[in-house]
């Protein structure tokens, strides 16, 4: 399996500011994903990040608002830009990892963001 | 497009009783099904998965799930519930190809809050 860590674990931010969330994996992985979980809601995929290429964003999410970096096979960052209270959510990093003959997704502990 | 439905927002059971958390799915290819659990202020933890083979899948903490292709269902079950099982449960699906190398999107259901009463 893959062990994933995220920093920060939680933060309280002011409206209009930006926060960068880091995701570190203990193994080299090709695919990394960023999810958002709004209060009381399910997980929604923001984007898929492959090393060496631009992230692929899901409908409703744009690069200007959620820029992503993927500088190597074990690390990624997600920035939440120009934050508003509606951005208050848990942000989770996930990786695709080969287990036996199939890929599985493993999740980080999440970053709990509150925007005032 | 693939989708997952968890018809119950909440499930309440008494400790020691069997529990079932329902999940139905829709996917164009072969389904690759998962159950995850989320405890308060914790990340998402993997419980079990179905890819192929035996329709009854056993997972962590005594949970099991039954894949039913004709009903497109993957209900989570446990013979005897514990108070510590109280959490938020997510069913998820993704497509996979025969080589198991699908990078298809993982789609989650809306979640079911399980409460086990002492």
């Amino acid at each position: 399996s893959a062990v994933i860590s995220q920093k920060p674990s939680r933060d309280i931010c002011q409206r209009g500011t930006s926060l960068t969330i880091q995701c570190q994996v203990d193994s080299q992985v090709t695919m990394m994903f960023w999810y958002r979980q709004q209060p009381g809601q399910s997980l929604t995929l923001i984007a898929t990040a492959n090393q060496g290429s631009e992230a692929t964003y899901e409908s409703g999410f744009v690069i200007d608002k959620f820029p992503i970096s993927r500088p190597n096979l074990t690390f990624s960052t997600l920035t939440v830009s120009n934050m508003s209270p509606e951005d208050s959510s848990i942000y989770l990093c996930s990786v695709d990892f080969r287990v036996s003959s199939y890929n599985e997704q493993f999740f980080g502990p999440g970053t709990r963001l509150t925007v005032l | 497009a693939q989708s997952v439905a968890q018809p119950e927002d909440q499930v309440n059971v008494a400790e020691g009783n069997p529990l079932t958390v329902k999940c139905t799915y829709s996917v164009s290819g072969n389904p690759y099904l998962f159950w995850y659990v989320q405890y308060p202020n914790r990340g998402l933890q993997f419980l079990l998965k179905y890819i192929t083979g035996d329709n009854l899948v056993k997972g962590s903490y005594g949970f099991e799930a039954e894949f039913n292709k004709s009903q497109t269902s993957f209900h989570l079950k446990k013979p005897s519930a514990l108070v510590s099982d109280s959490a938020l449960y997510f069913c998820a699906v993704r497509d996979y190809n025969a080589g198991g190398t699908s990078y298809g999107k993982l789609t989650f259901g809306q979640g079911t809050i399980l409460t086990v009463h002492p």
Side-chain angles (χ1 to χ4, degrees), chain B residues 5-22:
Chain B
Q6 293 178 240
E8 303 154 317
D9 291 336
Q10 294 193 48
V11 170
N12 297 294
V13 299
E15 188 173 33
N17 283 1
L19 70 86
T20 298
V21 183
K22 295 180 180 178

Side-chain angles (χ1 to χ4, degrees), chain A residues 8-81:
Chain A
S9 59
R10 57 177 63 224
D11 207 342
I12 301 173
C13 300
Q14 295 297 319
R15 181 195 299 261
T17 63
S18 298
L19 175 71
T20 295
I21 302 168
Q22 299 179 7
C23 177
Q24 180 75 52
V25 189
D26 68 344
S27 304
Q28 293 186 340
V29 294
T30 302
M31 307 284 287
M32 295 181 80
F33 307 88
W34 287 99
Y35 288 83
R36 180 176 73 181
Q37 185 179 18
Q38 293 177 301
Q41 303 292 316
S42 184
L43 282 79
T44 301
L45 182 63
I46 298 172
T48 302
N50 290 343
Q51 192 268 337
S53 63
E54 294 286 330
T56 302
Y57 289 83
E58 296 296 305
S59 175
F61 297 96
V62 295
I63 188 171
D64 289 347
K65 176 66 176 177
F66 296 102
I68 288 171
S69 77
R70 184 74 203 276
N72 57 52
L73 292 174
T74 63
F75 187 78
S76 178
T77 66
L78 169 76
T79 298
V80 187
S81 303

